[in-house]
Amino acid sequence: MAINRQDALDYHFGKRPGKIEVVPTKPCRTQRDLSLAYTPGVAEPCLEIRKNPREAFKYTARGNLVAVVTNGTAVLGLGNIGALAGKPVMEGKGVLFKRFADIDVFDIEIDSTDPQEVIRVCQLLEPTFGGINLEDIKAPECFLIEETLRRTMKIPVFHDDQHGTAIISGAALLNALEIVGKEISNVRVVFNGAGASGIACAEHYVRLGVKQENILMVDTQGVIYKGRKEGMNPYKERFAAETKLRTLAEAIEGADVFVGLSVKGALTPQMLRTMADRPIVFAMANPDPEITYEDALATRSDVLMATGRSDYPNQVNNVLGFPFIFRGALDVRATAINEEMKLAATRALAALAKEDVPDSVCRAYGLEHIRFGPEYIIPKPFDPRVLVWEAAAVAQAAMESGVAQEPVDLEEYRERLERRLGKAREISRMLIHKAQAQPKRVVFPEGENDKILRACHILVEENIARPILLGNPEAIRIRAAELGISLAGVEIVDPARSPKRQSYTEELYRLRQRRGVTLSEASELILNRNLFASMMVHQGDADAVVSGVTQHYPDTIRPALQVIKMREDLHKVSACYALITRQGEIYFLADCAVNIDSTAEELAEIALCAAETARRFDITPRVAMLSFSNFGSVKHPLAEKMRRAAELVQQADPTLMVDGEMQADTAVVPEIIEQTYPFSRLRGGANVLIFPDLTSANIAYKLLIRLGGAEAIGPILMGMAKPVHVLQRGAEVEEIVNIAALAVVDAQELAASAGRRVTPRRLDQPTAAD
């Protein structure tokens, strides 16, 4: 991707120079806060740490703090530009640590080219940090520095320029070899570049299974061979080969793998032509690779290629490594990052690349679908699953290899990592865990849809639900095979050929005969997949319906209302959204999708249903009936409607914390309602917000998402007699999985507590289905 020079300078300057800042994690707004943060209160943790130094990880940020250390002698492709000039790169590294793994960083620029001075600075700083990331230090000094620090320090030390490239390209190598059908122990590998990255990659590949005698290494002087004197050092000597070959052109002939960590244009098309069948080319020089992607494919149609660039497939990007490796190491308080942990990281990345890729990742890269193959052999940097897969693998390896001081339960640790991905992810996992306790049968009318197929694969794999797909079985199986997913554990039903079609037709006729439906019409109507799915639930052949990814909202709800109908104690169905703010707070907003202008009685029902939904998320509901008026401050029928609704809710469920009418800020800012309106029953701020009409609710939830950065779960359909859940059109696979999990939880609760609901008095009104 081409970057304009001025754009880069403006990005680093902006309103506040640089890219990082220190943000306090504890309040410091009052005199008491100040006394706790600093003197005299700060003395107490100091004394605890003096008694037991390990308490520093409890009372300070040390356990989540990494030093990014450089002396500026090998900065990117810029060379020896000095410590100060390298500072923007180190700040950038800090941004990546924080963005991808929530690790805090101080960048340390050491103004010295003496490796002993760099070593000494790092050793003296050990009490400050949980780990050291060495960066942009030239070879061979970088080897000495890292080896010495690893031997003398009790915290993880990791030179990313060496091991990051090795770990990520190692994952690419494993998957590339699988695709081309070659055994790692048999392939010949040529390295062009014998600096820190080249030597580390070669050593890592040997640990992965490449035979050292099958490696040839080339530097600016040519092939590294036994007896060569020019440009040698002990690290290159490890890979000196017994060979008569002297040039890259000679070495590359018949090779299976080329690994470039050198300069633009080093690998010519003619050299590529001489490689073995189905060659693997990792041209990782940045920003210009040893051979361009276009030239490589024009030369060899059978080449499998990776580069360091984001505008080509298979980018070998170190950000896939260091944040997650340190995350795993810090979380078990490892004393080192050893070879077992590096191998675990490589294998985790290789395995993840074979999993179905979330829609959010595809969208981030402007692609409709990403699938394991020649153009996708390693995960994308913005794939959020990398954190869970890689950090957990690293932590497990640390424990198994004996360097972890604080072992963790791996399942619990994976959950902790999921929570780091955001509150919405945490809440979704909570629903999934509930669903996994007793999976239910969920029928999907849109059974031939790609996203539904991919979601069902996950539902079975994670034991969340028992999916039933409606559609043509042959078409579904063919499409699943094309997507590379298994349908083991998934039931497929063709409504046209189902043995239950006749009995479903007769039941539909019974239900709708006084609504103008004849028996022959019922026989045709039952082929509507939403209607067929609803009948499956009605007849007990499925426990829940999830539909709507390709349809409009009413087209999904109407068939369900005609067959499953509403709960007997309600007059209307409604919908709410669970919104998670950037601060991690969760709010339930209703009615955002169904009823345009509800009465006070209907709003009371909606509030009670929304409170039930909040409890399903393990949230204690605190309900506010919203208006432009605060407790009678404005006399208007619209304000009166919300006041009356609040009274009806209180009568129906005296245990529920509810009040209104009130303005939105009064509802969500505890200080306002508790200080200005001390008579109110609402305490702690509302988390269930009931709007006077669909207009205000729909506008509010969309503004919170678009302008406020809130994450949404929903729409959550409320009030059906049996679980029916509607997807947003175009919903992503992850959203489908979440709604299916919610449907399972709904079905579990229905089975456990059918008929035990209390709501306001009934009003005799026709249903929306009529």
Side-chain angles (χ1 to χ4, degrees):
M1 181 182 296
I3 297 294
N4 178 273
R5 176 179 180 274
Q6 192 57 49
D7 288 345
L9 293 174
D10 290 346
Y11 175 87
H12 286 77
F13 175 57
K15 295 180 180 179
R16 183 172 184 151
K19 301 190 285 280
I20 57 176
E21 65 177 340
V22 175
V23 177
T25 59
K26 303 296 188 296
C28 190
R29 292 186 293 266
T30 66
Q31 181 61 42
R32 184 175 184 276
D33 292 341
L34 183 60
S35 298
L36 290 169
Y38 200 55
T39 184
V42 74
E44 296 305 323
C46 292
L47 294 172
E48 291 299 308
I49 294 168
R50 186 179 66 175
K51 286 188 288 186
N52 180 5
R54 296 181 70 159
E55 293 291 270
F57 292 97
K58 179 178 179 179
Y59 294 114
T60 77
R62 186 188 180 200
N64 197 53
L65 187 61
V66 167
V68 174
V69 177
T70 190
N71 64 356
T73 52
V75 179
L76 301 178
L78 304 174
N80 186 356
I81 60 173
L84 182 58
K87 186 174 176 64
V89 177
M90 305 311 123
E91 285 192 356
K93 201 81 171 188
V95 170
L96 300 181
F97 265 110
K98 190 66 177 177
R99 163 63 180 80
F100 289 98
D102 193 28
I103 292 172
D104 299 316
V105 162
F106 289 154
D107 56 295
I108 308 292
E109 291 77 30
I110 300 172
D111 190 15
S112 174
T113 58
D114 183 348
Q116 294 302 326
E117 291 189 338
V118 175
I119 289 168
R120 189 59 183 147
V121 169
C122 291
Q123 290 171 333
L124 291 171
L125 288 173
E126 182 169 354
T128 303
F129 296 100
I132 302 281
N133 183 93
L134 299 171
E135 193 75 20
D136 292 347
I137 300 172
K138 73 180 181 72
E141 289 89 339
C142 61
F143 299 117
L144 171 64
I145 292 169
E146 187 191 40
E147 288 172 359
T148 305
L149 293 178
R150 288 182 62 184
R151 189 175 64 252
T152 60
M153 297 181 75
K154 292 284 191 278
I155 59 174
V157 178
F158 183 81
H159 185 203
D160 184 47
D161 300 309
Q162 291 183 61
H163 310 298
T165 306
I167 288 164
I168 289 93
S169 69
L173 178 69
L174 293 178
N175 284 340
L177 289 172
E178 180 178 326
I179 291 168
V180 302
K182 296 183 180 182
E183 288 292 329
I184 194 169
S185 59
N186 295 333
V187 293
R188 282 188 53 226
V189 184
V190 174
F191 287 86
N192 195 54
S197 299
I199 290 171
C201 283
E203 291 177 337
H204 193 64
Y205 288 13
V206 169
R207 285 188 287 270
L208 287 170
V210 175
K211 291 182 179 177
Q212 185 156 343
E213 58 266 31
N214 288 344
I215 291 176
L216 284 178
M217 189 168 285
V218 182
D219 64 7
T220 55
Q221 304 290 323
V223 174
I224 297 174
Y225 59 90
K226 291 285 187 183
R228 200 185 92 172
K229 303 299 182 186
E230 302 83 3
M232 294 295 288
N233 61 51
Y235 305 99
K236 291 182 182 181
E237 192 64 45
R238 297 175 192 169
F239 290 94
E242 291 283 2
T243 180
K244 294 181 179 179
L245 304 177
R246 293 295 182 263
T247 67
L248 175 59
E250 293 172 352
I252 201 75
E253 188 172 347
D256 299 286
V257 181
F258 169 83
V259 180
L261 295 149
S262 51
V263 294
K264 173 185 177 181
L267 181 67
T268 66
Q270 180 56 40
M271 293 178 190
L272 178 56
R273 289 190 191 99
T274 68
M275 292 183 70
D277 291 341
R278 304 205 74 185
I280 296 167
V281 173
F282 293 169
M284 296 182 286
N286 251 331
D288 299 306
E290 285 79 2
I291 186 170
T292 67
Y293 186 77
E294 296 84 359
D295 286 348
L297 263 65
T299 303
R300 295 281 298 260
S301 60
D302 62 342
V303 68
L304 194 157
M305 186 159 177
T307 71
R309 292 177 58 128
S310 60
D311 50 350
Y312 295 144
N314 301 324
Q315 183 191 17
V316 177
N317 190 324
N318 283 20
V319 79
L320 280 169
F322 66 85
F324 315 109
I325 292 165
F326 268 100
R327 180 75 277 155
L330 293 173
D331 288 342
V332 296
R333 211 173 297 165
T335 56
I337 294 173
N338 57 28
E339 304 311 324
E340 292 87 347
M341 295 158 76
K342 296 170 194 173
L343 288 169
T346 288
R347 292 186 175 120
L349 289 171
L352 178 57
K354 299 172 189 175
E355 297 291 310
D356 188 52
V357 180
D359 292 340
S360 58
V361 177
C362 299
R363 191 173 60 247
Y365 289 89
L367 300 170
E368 186 173 329
H369 191 52
I370 300 173
R371 182 179 171 186
F372 179 67
E375 294 193 348
Y376 178 68
I377 57 175
I378 46 176
K380 298 289 188 181
F382 283 99
D383 189 333
R385 300 171 302 166
V386 177
L387 173 65
V388 179
W389 281 63
E390 189 172 359
V394 169
Q396 182 176 1
M399 291 188 289
E400 291 175 353
S401 62
V403 297
Q405 298 182 93
E406 295 287 339
V408 296
D409 177 277
L410 279 171
E411 285 306 311
E412 291 179 1
Y413 180 54
R414 289 188 182 97
E415 290 302 316
R416 280 170 49 196
L417 293 170
E418 290 277 2
R419 290 196 292 272
R420 286 188 181 275
L421 295 173
K423 189 71 174 178
R425 186 86 171 210
E426 179 184 347
I427 290 168
S428 298
R429 294 305 302 178
M430 178 271 294
L431 282 175
I432 286 170
H433 286 319
K434 283 189 171 186
Q436 288 169 329
Q438 190 182 2
K440 297 290 185 180
R441 299 163 299 171
V442 179
V443 58
F444 295 88
E446 299 152 301
E448 296 169 19
N449 179 269
D450 286 4
K451 291 180 178 179
I452 296 295
L453 290 171
R454 292 163 57 204
C456 286
H457 174 69
I458 295 170
L459 292 172
V460 171
E461 198 170 58
E462 296 196 21
N463 196 35
I464 299 168
R466 306 281 182 260
I468 303 170
L469 297 173
L470 300 189
N472 182 294
E474 292 78 16
I476 289 172
R477 292 190 181 98
I478 289 170
R479 188 57 188 147
E482 291 171 348
L483 293 171
I485 58 176
S486 169
L487 291 181
V490 177
E491 182 181 352
I492 303 174
V493 175
D494 184 351
R497 290 183 274 178
S498 170
K500 301 249 176 125
R501 178 181 174 182
Q502 183 59 36
S503 63
Y504 285 2
T505 297
E506 293 170 0
E507 178 63 8
L508 179 61
Y509 173 62
R510 187 188 70 80
L511 292 171
R512 304 299 296 171
Q513 60 188 346
R514 293 184 179 275
R515 295 288 187 270
V517 176
T518 67
L519 183 60
S520 62
E521 288 172 335
S523 180
E524 293 301 316
L525 286 172
I526 201 64
L527 295 179
N528 176 303
R529 291 179 186 175
N530 281 319
L531 204 57
F532 192 94
S534 298
M535 188 61 73
M536 290 184 74
V537 173
H538 173 67
Q539 295 288 75
D541 296 321
D543 301 301
V545 180
V546 173
S547 184
V549 73
T550 63
Q551 304 168 73
H552 292 292
Y553 210 89
D555 296 332
T556 306
I557 297 177
R558 191 178 295 112
L561 286 168
Q562 291 171 350
V563 175
I564 297 175
K565 302 186 182 299
M566 291 180 295
R567 281 169 27 188
E568 292 182 358
D569 52 2
L570 298 176
H571 299 98
K572 288 190 175 183
V573 296
S574 56
C576 80
Y577 275 87
L579 292 187
I580 299 92
T581 68
R582 287 176 174 173
Q583 293 74 36
E585 299 164 325
I586 182 168
Y587 295 93
F588 297 86
L589 280 63
D591 175 4
C592 299
V594 179
N595 299 291
I596 295 174
D597 190 12
S598 301
T599 65
E601 289 77 12
E602 291 163 351
L603 287 167
E605 290 185 356
I606 291 168
L608 288 163
C609 287
E612 284 182 8
T613 300
R615 292 188 188 102
R616 197 167 293 138
F617 284 77
D618 291 341
I619 302 291
T620 300
R622 302 186 299 273
V623 184
M625 312 301 288
L626 300 182
S627 177
F628 52 83
S629 168
N630 277 320
F631 303 105
S633 63
V634 178
K635 304 299 181 185
H636 192 279
L638 292 177
E640 172 62 22
K641 177 176 75 169
M642 301 309 289
R643 183 194 64 78
R644 174 63 180 152
E647 292 176 349
L648 289 171
V649 174
Q650 190 66 40
Q651 292 169 15
D653 185 357
T655 67
L656 181 63
M657 189 185 295
V658 57
D659 215 337
E661 85 289 5
M662 69 182 73
Q663 294 176 6
D665 57 344
T666 303
V668 299
V669 181
E671 291 82 2
I672 295 179
I673 195 164
E674 292 172 14
Q675 295 175 16
T676 309
Y677 307 101
F679 55 83
S680 173
R681 293 183 291 271
L682 194 62
R683 288 290 179 270
N687 53 23
V688 177
L689 306 177
I690 308 302
F691 291 78
D693 53 36
L694 180 60
T695 300
S696 56
N698 192 272
I699 290 170
Y701 101 80
K702 289 186 175 178
L703 285 176
L704 283 168
I705 293 171
R706 298 299 179 184
L707 301 183
E711 297 179 82
I713 298 175
I716 301 169
L717 194 63
M718 306 183 296
M720 296 296 296
K722 293 186 176 181
V724 176
H725 285 278
V726 182
L727 301 165
Q728 284 189 309
R729 279 190 95 187
E732 296 181 358
V733 172
E734 188 176 11
E735 293 171 326
I736 297 169
V737 171
N738 291 341
I739 292 297
L742 181 61
V744 170
V745 173
D746 212 357
Q748 291 170 346
E749 294 185 356
L750 182 68
S753 59
R756 291 189 288 135
R757 294 184 176 95
V758 181
T759 53
R761 62 183 177 86
R762 282 190 58 87
L763 297 177
D764 293 328
Q765 295 178 349
T767 71
D770 298 324

